[in-house]
Amino acid sequence: MTHYDVVIVGGAMSGATLALALEKMNQDTLSIAVIEAVEPKLDQHPGYDSRSIALSSGTSQLLQDIELWSDIDSFSTPINHIHVSDRHHMGLTELTSKELNVDALGYVVELTDVGLFYHQKLMNSHNIELFCPASVVDIKRDVSSSTLTLSTGEVISTSLIVAADGAESKTCNIMNIESENNDFQQVAIIANVTTSIHPHGKAFERFTEHGPLALLPMSQGRSSLVWCVSPEESKQILGYDDDAFLEHLQRAFGWRLGQFIKTGKRAHYPLWLRRQKQYISHRFAAIGNAAQTLHPIAGQGFNLGIRDVFSLAECLTKAHRSEGDIGEYRVLSEYQKRRQSDQIQTITMTAGLVSIFANNSFPMVIGRNVSLRAVDMFRSFLKPLTLRAMGRVNR
C-alpha cells in the first residue's frame, strides 16, 4: 500500500492549485496524491457554451507567487471596468482599474481551458500522483494515518486528507462532517450571451426586482450571464425559446451593451449558503466549496476558497520544514484559526448584499439607492468593500 503525505480529493482548480502550491513551496519533498472523478475530454471543447469563472486580482497574485499565473493569463479576459446599478432607480456606481491603479479588477477564465491546463500540470508533475478517473468509496482513520479505498480498487494511505470535491462534498459526508444550510430561495440561470456592443473588459452587476444579474466579459465578445431569480420566475424563463429569453433579458438589463443578439444553452442551479460546521478534523481539512459555498453575488466564493488553499499550503509547509507531522491537529488548528476572520467577513458581506439587493421593500430600495449614490459621490466609502471584492485581504 502506497503512502502519501497528502491526499487531495478533488482535482479541479482548488484541489489542483493546492497540490501545485505544496509541490512548489516544499521543493518536491512532499509526496502528494490527487483523486479526481472526471477525466477531461482533451479533444472536445464546448465552444460558445463554455462556462467561466471570475478570478479576483488577489487570486491572480497568489497564482503568480507559485508561477502559474503567466500561463493562465494567456487565456484570461481582464475586467477593467465594473458598473453597478439598480433597475428602475437612480442608484449606480462605477469602478475602474485605472482609478485603483491596478492592471485589472479581476479576470474571467473558461473552465474548460483552465481545467485542461491544470490536468496537464498534474500529469506532468514528478511529485504528484494523479488518480483519474477515480473516486473515494471508503475512508478509515487511525492515530497516525488514514486509509482510502478508491473506486478503482486501489488502497492508499496518507498523513492528511484534504476535501476539495465541491459544494456537496462526498468526502465531508464520509467523514461525518455536518453542514449548516441556508436556502436563499433563488435560482441562478447561467448562459453565455452576445450583445451588439462589445463589452471590452466591462462587467455589470444589475439589481432587478427578481434578483441580481451579472454580466462578465469573455473572449470573442461574449459575456457570461449569471441571473439570480426566484424559483417561480426561473421556471418561466427556462421555458422560453431563445428569442423570448433574449427579450426578457433585455428588459431586465437594459441597453448599456446594445441589443442582446445571441444566447447559448441555459443551465440553472438552486442557491444556498452551505458552510461546514468544522473545517478540520483528525487528519482532515476542507478547502474551497467543500468548506463553504456562497451566493454568486459579487463573485466571492471561488476566490475565498483559493485563500483557503494558500493558507493551508503555508501551514503545512511550515510544519514540514520543522520536521513535524503535517496531519497533526495542532497544525490544522492553525489553518482553521487563520481562516476564520476572512471566512466570516466574506460570508457576512455576501449574505448582507443578498439581503439588501434582493429585497424590494420600499425602505430597503431607498436605502440601497442612497448607498450607491453615496459611494459614487464619496469614493473613500468604496475602498474597504473594493479591497475585499478584489481579494486584497489578510488571510
Side-chain angles (χ1 to χ4, degrees):
M1 181 168 58
T2 305
H3 181 85
Y4 298 92
D5 293 312
V6 183
V7 170
I8 302 166
V9 185
M13 197 166 179
S14 291
T17 300
L18 176 61
L20 295 167
L22 286 172
E23 181 182 50
K24 180 70 175 179
M25 293 177 184
N26 293 278
Q27 300 179 335
D28 300 340
T29 60
L30 278 177
S31 57
I32 304 163
V34 176
I35 302 166
E36 170 54 37
V38 180
E39 187 172 17
K41 298 177 181 179
L42 302 178
D43 59 343
Q44 294 184 23
H45 191 284
Y48 187 89
D49 291 313
S50 180
R51 297 301 175 222
S52 62
I53 192 169
L55 310 181
S56 69
S57 173
T59 293
S60 70
Q61 182 58 59
L62 291 173
L63 295 173
Q64 186 173 315
D65 291 344
I66 56 171
E67 300 179 4
L68 292 179
W69 179 248
S70 59
D71 289 313
I72 296 173
D73 187 34
S74 66
F75 52 79
S76 72
T77 301
I79 300 172
N80 297 313
H81 190 143
I82 298 176
H83 184 282
V84 183
S85 62
D86 197 355
R87 185 172 182 246
H88 292 321
H89 302 286
M90 294 295 292
L92 65 85
T93 190
E94 297 185 79
L95 188 67
T96 66
S97 55
K98 183 177 180 180
E99 178 184 2
L100 294 175
N101 196 29
V102 294
D103 292 336
L105 300 171
Y107 301 85
V108 181
V109 295
E110 295 178 30
L111 292 177
T112 299
D113 293 333
V114 79
L116 288 173
F117 166 74
Y118 272 103
H119 185 79
Q120 290 165 357
K121 291 289 286 187
L122 294 178
M123 288 286 291
N124 294 333
S125 169
H126 298 296
N127 202 53
I128 299 171
E129 185 77 20
L130 177 62
F131 295 86
C132 180
S135 58
V136 177
V137 296
D138 186 49
I139 297 172
K140 288 183 170 59
R141 289 184 286 178
D142 60 30
V143 174
S144 60
S145 66
S146 297
T147 303
L148 299 91
T149 303
L150 307 186
S151 57
T152 58
E154 295 167 281
V155 179
I156 60 177
S157 67
T158 183
S159 300
L160 175 66
I161 298 171
V162 179
D165 51 346
E168 298 181 10
S169 170
K170 183 180 178 182
T171 311
C172 287
N173 289 335
I174 294 174
M175 292 291 202
N176 295 316
I177 305 294
E178 295 183 1
S179 63
E180 298 173 334
N181 302 306
N182 177 36
D183 186 353
F184 286 115
Q185 293 295 314
Q186 288 186 334
V187 174
I189 297 175
I190 312 297
N192 291 339
V193 295
T194 299
T195 52
S196 60
I197 297 176
H198 195 295
H200 290 299
K202 196 168 186 177
F204 294 84
E205 187 91 38
R206 177 82 157 153
F207 299 104
T208 77
E209 61 269 31
H210 300 297
L213 185 164
L215 284 173
L216 301 176
M218 295 178 65
S219 62
Q220 301 172 347
R222 295 169 296 161
S223 291
S224 173
L225 169 71
V226 182
W227 191 1
C228 304
V229 299
S230 69
E232 296 75 23
E233 182 77 6
S234 72
K235 292 176 184 177
Q236 178 183 349
I237 293 174
L238 291 167
Y240 288 147
D241 62 20
D242 286 358
D243 289 340
F245 173 74
L246 290 173
E247 182 181 348
H248 194 76
L249 176 60
Q250 191 85 63
R251 288 198 301 269
F253 179 76
W255 295 84
R256 288 184 174 88
L257 284 175
Q259 184 176 0
F260 287 92
I261 57 178
K262 183 179 179 180
T263 180
K265 297 177 182 177
R266 270 92 73 194
H268 67 284
Y269 59 90
L271 296 177
W272 292 75
L273 170 60
R274 287 189 176 94
R275 188 180 184 191
Q276 303 299 346
K277 290 185 177 180
Q278 57 188 104
Y279 298 103
I280 64 168
S281 181
H282 177 63
R283 299 197 173 278
F284 170 81
I287 59 172
N289 282 343
Q292 67 272 310
T293 307
L294 278 58
H295 191 286
I297 192 171
Q300 291 301 296
F302 174 77
N303 296 290
L304 176 64
I306 284 292
R307 299 198 291 274
D308 291 346
V309 166
F310 278 83
S311 295
L312 179 59
E314 288 164 0
C315 289
L316 299 183
T317 299
K318 178 182 175 182
H320 181 60
R321 287 176 179 171
S322 62
E323 300 184 354
D325 181 349
I326 63 171
E328 278 187 349
Y329 199 82
R330 172 187 56 83
V331 177
L332 302 179
S333 294
E334 181 183 350
Y335 159 67
Q336 180 171 257
K337 184 178 180 181
R338 281 186 59 174
R339 295 304 300 136
Q340 280 180 338
S341 176
D342 183 19
Q343 288 168 344
I344 290 171
Q345 289 184 55
T346 304
I347 290 171
T348 300
M349 180 194 76
T350 301
L353 288 173
V354 173
S355 65
I356 292 170
F357 287 99
N359 188 325
N360 286 299
S361 67
F362 183 72
M364 195 66 75
V365 170
I366 294 297
R368 72 190 183 214
N369 277 270
V370 169
S371 298
L372 285 173
R373 294 296 293 171
V375 163
D376 197 52
M377 294 174 64
F378 305 101
R379 305 301 285 176
S380 60
F381 290 176
L382 194 58
K383 187 173 182 180
L385 184 62
T386 301
L387 289 175
R388 178 156 297 279
M390 291 174 60
R392 303 288 186 172
V393 296
N394 293 327
R395 51 174 183 79

